[in-house]
Amino acid sequence: MDTENRSDIYKSRTQIKKESEELQKLGERLIKLTPGQLKNIDIPNELRKAITDARQISARKAAHRNRQFIGALMRECDPDPILEALEKLEAGLSISPKREAPVVSPWVEAILENDEAIESFLTDHPSGDRQRIRQLKRNALKKRGTAPTGKEFKDLAACIQEVLNRS
């Protein structure tokens, strides 16, 4: 029993290194965001400044050191909300506190679950294209394992968002 408790507390150097590399990769994903997208993610100011600086560094060694610094800063904050925000952005959903983000997701989920949701959506928003929505739904269901982050899911979410914006 003591060995189980020790293994929960103890992390090998390899585990620590892998976690650090994952956090550094997460930081690199943050660097690729636009300033507007980055503004909506809740991160410490020091990390935000390091990410902004990273976009302007062109020297290879300096950029490498900056990415390592970003990884070190990432260790000090909780990566789960950041990862969740990045997944929402990659899924084509808004992470700003606007009204659109909560509205799109339930429609997308409902449409993926049953055909009646398409009819209900089109009743509420007649400017939508029934054929296109059904096609996007079919494509998303074919790739169901990757649907929440896949291209097909993003396309369906974008189509629904477009219809909602027109309404």
Side-chain angles (χ1 to χ4, degrees):
M1 193 171 213
D2 289 333
T3 58
E4 289 178 16
N5 290 340
R6 275 173 89 187
S7 66
D8 290 342
I9 298 171
Y10 176 75
K11 287 187 181 181
S12 68
R13 292 172 74 188
T14 306
Q15 286 174 317
I16 293 170
K17 187 173 181 180
K18 283 183 182 178
E19 288 175 3
S20 295
E21 288 173 355
E22 288 176 14
L23 290 173
Q24 189 172 339
K25 287 179 184 176
L26 184 60
E28 289 174 8
R29 287 172 61 188
L30 288 172
I31 293 170
K32 293 177 184 175
L33 295 178
T34 65
Q37 291 172 328
L38 186 63
K39 181 180 74 173
N40 293 325
I41 297 178
D42 186 29
I43 55 175
N45 287 334
E46 188 177 11
L47 178 59
R48 189 178 312 276
K49 181 171 178 2
I51 291 169
T52 305
D53 292 344
R55 293 188 184 116
Q56 299 171 359
I57 298 174
S58 59
R60 185 175 175 170
K61 289 254 184 195
H64 178 71
R65 280 192 307 271
N66 188 269
R67 285 193 309 272
Q68 287 181 324
F69 178 62
I70 289 171
L73 291 174
M74 293 289 295
R75 280 183 240 136
E76 296 173 7
C77 61
D78 185 18
D80 292 334
I82 297 170
L83 190 59
E84 183 180 316
L86 282 172
E87 288 173 355
K88 282 184 180 178
L89 282 173
E90 290 168 356
L93 302 174
S94 175
I95 58 169
S96 62
K98 295 179 186 174
R99 185 174 175 263
E100 290 84 19
V103 172
V104 172
S105 183
W107 277 117
V108 173
E109 293 299 322
I111 287 173
L112 287 174
E113 293 301 319
N114 61 23
D115 289 330
E116 291 83 27
I118 295 175
E119 298 306 320
S120 175
F121 179 75
L122 292 173
T123 302
D124 294 346
H125 308 282
S127 65
D129 183 1
R130 177 178 281 109
Q131 183 179 1
R132 182 168 181 234
I133 293 173
R134 286 186 182 201
Q135 181 182 14
L136 292 171
K137 175 189 174 182
R138 260 194 317 274
N139 292 344
L141 289 175
K142 284 181 187 176
K143 305 282 185 172
R144 187 64 170 172
T146 60
T149 57
K151 178 187 178 303
E152 293 80 10
F153 181 83
K154 291 177 192 175
D155 291 344
L156 178 60
C159 176
I160 290 173
Q161 184 66 45
E162 181 181 317
V163 172
L164 289 173
N165 289 340
R166 277 188 267 157
S167 297

